[in-house]
Amino acid sequence: SWKCLDWIILEQQRDSPQENGVQTNQYSSISPPASPVAQDEPFSTYFEEKVPIPESPNQVFSFRKLWAFTGPGFLMSIAYLDPGNIESDLQSGAKAGFKLLWVLLLATIIGLLLQRLAARLGVVTGMHLAEVCNRQYPTVPRIILWLMVELAIIGSDMQEVIGCAIALNLLSVGRIPLWAGVLITITDTFVFLFLDKYGLRKLEAFFGFLITVMAISFGYEYVLVKPDQGELLKGMFVPYCAGCGPVQLEQAVGIVGAVIMPHNIYLHSALVKSREVDRKNKKEVKEANKYFFIESSIALFVSFLINVFVVAVFAQAFYNKSNMEVNAECNATGSPHTDLFPLNNGTLEVDIYKGGVVLGCFFGPAALYIWAIGILAAGQSSTMTGTYSGQFVMEGFLNLRWSRFARVLLTRSIAITPTLLVAIFQDVQHLTGMNDFLNPILQKLPFALIPILTFTSLTSIMNDFANGLMWKISGGIVILVVCAINMYFVVVYVTSLNSVLLYVLSSLLSIAYLCFVGYLAWHCLIALGVSCLDFCSRVRNRPAVLIEEQSEYDS
């Protein structure tokens, strides 16, 4: 029995973190290096250059400081403007008119709150979410979590490359085939990703330029179509959908899934490390949190306006339009794409490609080309930020120390190869339809939302900046709602399958998925203060009780 007790004590000492001889909870504290720049890192990263923050003593707010902190939030906001989001916007307008704008607004606000948590984690700890997961989770859950996040990044990246290829096809009037568009996207992504060698601020300025291109392109369509402003405001601020059915409900769920992307949480927690902040100085950390939140709010407001432009254009011009009407209009204008719209009275269904075509039919060739320019900017910018996400996630979870070129090549190849194969063997209709297949792959929100709430709620990690009671409650509710919506989207897709074998396989995968989400949720609830669930801690503390009882007996 004593041998057994000694073994238990050794296991307790090995598994339980201690601070100054006092046993702590199952999560270790994080003490990042005071000067990450001084570390000997044999590989180049986004953080080779740190942006200095100007001094502004006795100022509550400084525009110079806000400008110094501006950059990470706008790079993060590009995930709210990727081709998947644009397609969700145009389908929302075509299927529900202005009625789902309030869902878009709510999803953007929820996204802002989650991005706030991601930025705070990066600022306070000096580590991004993948690095924290690597330190805090056991090996097997950590590997599973990495695979799930990596799968979501690959699916998102495929959508973005598809968007670029379609935009190039539209701009060239079909002369650039889809497979060539994919190859062009691969090449220019490699080129643009090395812009940070010329300075971090230049890279951030380039992303700002692409966001401006999107705003001008989709803003032009908005001005051209002249949406009803009264209906727009009503749809944005009245949380109701009159006459909506299953189609509109599924679209509303799709909006939330498109706006809140799991890899974006990992990305934002890493990007904030690019500013010079003394993490030993509580005042500087608090100030950095404030300015990053302001910058993120401005960036997401801009992205929300661009999304509203797209929804409003298709709500005003194509809501309740039939295929017959569109076919007749395209035929009258001499469009070569008339065959995309069958001669029936079915409701018009649009995607990124058809969206450009119908704009060209109804509002002239300029509308089509400007639309394609906006899609190209959205796809190119989101492909670049997606590559950064892949690098941060892989480096953080696996602690890789590869060369920059090797990391970019690997993350690009994993996502590009399946897209290129599809582009070679399928036409544009099947390529845009890939989004329907990719949407279930992208439903990995719990694997970002649960860890970020877990770690930002722990004082052993966040110290004085841990989430308060209100943030814990509201964050828990938000994540519960978002994950429920996420699960609904997966169920809708699985029930649409027409194969017993696929049903069985999907059921097994769903059970494994739910079990792992339950594991993460269990850790999260413990971090939120539900101590009755901390069974492991009680088991590990039991040997100490046995030792005390044995000592009393011996005495």
Side-chain angles (χ1 to χ4, degrees), residues 82 198 218 231 430 436 442 483 492:
D82 67 359
Y198 297 97
F218 300 131
E231 288 296 315
H430 290 89
D436 297 330
L442 297 176
C483 289
V492 167

Side-chain angles (χ1 to χ4, degrees), residues 140-312:
V140 173
R142 182 172 72 242
I143 297 299
I144 296 174
L145 188 59
W146 167 65
L147 290 174
M148 293 296 100
V149 177
E150 201 70 54
L151 188 62
I153 292 173
I154 292 169
S156 176
D157 210 5
M158 289 175 69
Q159 284 188 322
E160 292 151 5
V161 173
I162 289 170
C164 283
I166 290 171
L168 291 170
N169 184 269
L170 286 171
L171 286 171
S172 64
V173 198
R175 292 186 180 90
I176 299 179
L178 295 175
W179 61 267
V182 171
L183 290 176
I184 292 171
T185 303
I186 298 170
T187 304
D188 58 25
T189 299
F190 270 106
V191 173
F192 292 142
L193 278 173
F194 288 91
L195 279 177
D196 63 351
K197 288 292 184 183
Y198 297 97
L200 179 59
R201 297 297 272 175
K202 290 184 176 65
L203 177 68
E204 292 173 347
F206 178 70
F207 279 104
F209 167 74
L210 292 176
I211 293 174
T212 304
V213 170
M214 284 184 266
I216 293 173
S217 300
F218 300 131
Y220 169 84
E221 309 286 357
Y222 181 86
V223 172
L224 187 66
V225 173
K226 298 182 178 65
D228 186 323
Q229 302 302 306
E231 288 296 315
L232 187 149
L233 292 174
K234 179 181 175 183
M236 190 180 298
F237 296 110
V238 178
Y240 181 67
C241 189
C244 292
V247 173
Q248 288 75 23
L249 175 62
E250 188 175 335
Q251 189 59 46
V253 172
I255 291 172
V256 177
V259 168
I260 304 173
M261 303 292 286
H263 67 274
N264 211 33
I265 306 295
Y266 289 87
L267 175 68
H268 197 200
S269 66
L271 293 175
V272 296
K273 293 167 59 180
S274 60
R275 268 51 184 177
E276 284 186 359
V277 177
D278 182 4
R279 291 178 176 84
K280 294 181 178 179
N281 188 325
K282 183 177 178 180
K283 181 181 177 182
E284 283 196 27
V285 172
K286 185 176 181 180
E287 186 178 66
N289 286 332
K290 178 182 75 173
Y291 282 107
F292 275 131
F293 181 69
I294 295 172
E295 186 239 358
S296 298
S297 302
I298 296 170
L300 289 188
F301 176 71
V302 173
S303 72
F304 173 71
L305 287 182
I306 295 173
N307 284 316
V308 168
F309 289 161
V310 177
V311 175

Side-chain angles (χ1 to χ4, degrees), residues 98-117:
F98 298 98
K99 299 173 186 176
L100 296 180
L101 278 173
W102 64 273
V103 178
L104 177 62
L105 175 62
L106 183 62
T108 305
I109 293 172
I110 291 174
L112 174 62
L113 298 179
L114 295 172
Q115 299 300 159
R116 173 187 179 271
L117 296 181

Side-chain angles (χ1 to χ4, degrees), residues 444-479:
K444 302 290 184 290
L445 284 173
F447 304 129
L449 306 192
I450 296 177
I452 195 65
L453 181 61
T454 300
F455 299 135
T456 55
S457 298
L458 289 167
T459 53
S460 60
I461 293 175
M462 298 293 288
N463 300 317
D464 294 337
F465 295 95
N467 295 329
L469 180 62
M470 287 304 298
W471 267 102
K472 288 180 180 179
I473 295 173
S474 58
I477 293 172
V478 164
I479 289 175

Side-chain angles (χ1 to χ4, degrees), residues 504-522:
V504 173
L505 181 61
S506 299
S507 298
L508 293 175
L509 291 174
S510 297
I511 292 171
Y513 176 89
L514 291 173
C515 288
F516 188 58
V517 170
Y519 171 83
L520 295 178
W522 170 56

